[in-house]
Amino acid sequence: MPSALRMRLFLTCWVVYVLHFATDFAREHYLVLSIVEQQTYALDRYNGMHVDIFQNPPTAKVPGAHHGANPGISMVAAIPYFFTRPLIDVVVNRELKARKAAGDTATAVYQDSRPRRVEFYQKIRRQGLDVRFGLVSAVTAALCMAPLSAASVVLMFVLLGAMGIGRRTALALSLLYAFGTPVFFRTAYLNQNLGLGIFAFFAFALIWNPEGLLRWSERRRLIVAGLLGGLA
């Protein structure tokens, strides 16, 4: 199966996913910020901003605030944020400086019929976090979720071909998987459920390895599959 075709499939899916990114700030994003900025998994700074962030009881072995979601996708998404943070800091600092200079005239309205979302936006804007949250959402969607999902589309295409399905049919089914399932919707923002599914999909492919597609030793394939299972 030509590598050029696989690369075109990956880039096509990646571009479409990036163009449909959302600025939704999910619970997984808080951990991205905490890992990169404070080098910790504790979420004390963001306690009260999300219903899934909870305060550990005083008797807990690990104090502070945390969330109950799988941390794997946040650990992966922390990588692109780490490298783009200097640029994001420049944009955020410039915006906050402009707001300070504007004084009370620097206002914004978030139009949404759901009061809790409006309240959340107002809270983070007062704290000067709204621009950073939006940029982190864009970065993690474009440089984490989009390439992961695009890679899973290519894997689907390759596996279908290894099963003996014709190239056109395999390509059509892969595009159906890419844009006709919740993969398209979930790729728009950082989502641990989709991340878990993609990690498990790659682990499954490594264990199955139809027609000896990947010329790794069985031991190596099982180790990497196990690591992906742990990441999930």
Side-chain angles (χ1 to χ4, degrees), residues 10-195:
F10 175 86
L11 291 176
T12 298
C13 292
W14 181 76
V15 168
V16 174
Y17 287 145
V18 169
L19 291 175
H20 289 83
F21 87 93
T23 55
D24 293 35
F25 205 78
R27 60 187 177 182
E28 291 80 13
H29 283 112
Y30 296 100
L31 191 52
V32 172
L33 293 171
S34 190
I35 290 173
V36 175
E37 296 177 2
Q38 283 87 44
Q39 296 79 54
T40 179
Y41 283 78
L43 300 174
D44 299 69
R45 181 184 179 188
Y46 309 108
N47 196 10
M49 289 189 178
H50 197 285
V51 294
D52 287 337
I53 298 178
F54 60 90
Q55 182 70 40
N56 286 338
T59 56
K61 291 184 179 180
V62 180
H66 297 83
H67 72 53
N70 299 350
I73 194 66
S74 298
M75 294 162 62
V76 175
I79 298 172
Y81 178 47
F82 174 80
F83 286 105
T84 58
R85 185 188 173 191
L87 179 59
I88 290 176
D89 286 346
V90 170
V91 175
V92 170
N93 292 335
R94 182 178 298 174
E95 172 63 18
L96 295 180
K97 185 178 179 179
R99 290 182 189 178
K100 186 176 181 180
D104 295 336
T105 62
T107 60
V109 177
Y110 183 74
Q111 297 180 347
D112 196 291
S113 59
R114 292 158 289 193
R116 287 181 60 179
R117 295 202 173 195
V118 175
E119 180 185 356
F120 170 75
Y121 175 77
Q122 292 172 343
K123 180 187 294 186
I124 64 170
R125 183 173 173 83
R126 285 195 300 270
Q127 297 184 30
L129 295 172
D130 53 320
V131 176
R132 181 176 300 277
F133 280 15
L135 292 174
V136 170
S137 297
V139 164
T140 53
L143 301 180
C144 177
M145 294 305 301
L148 281 176
S149 292
S152 75
V153 175
V154 174
L155 178 60
M156 180 69 75
F157 177 56
V158 171
L159 290 180
L160 290 172
M163 293 169 61
I165 295 176
R167 186 178 299 175
R168 282 192 173 187
T169 303
L171 183 60
L173 291 173
S174 299
L175 291 174
L176 178 62
Y177 160 78
F179 304 115
T181 71
V183 169
F184 192 15
F185 172 75
R186 296 291 182 181
T187 302
Y189 61 97
L190 190 62
N191 183 264
Q192 64 102 2
N193 294 316
L194 179 56

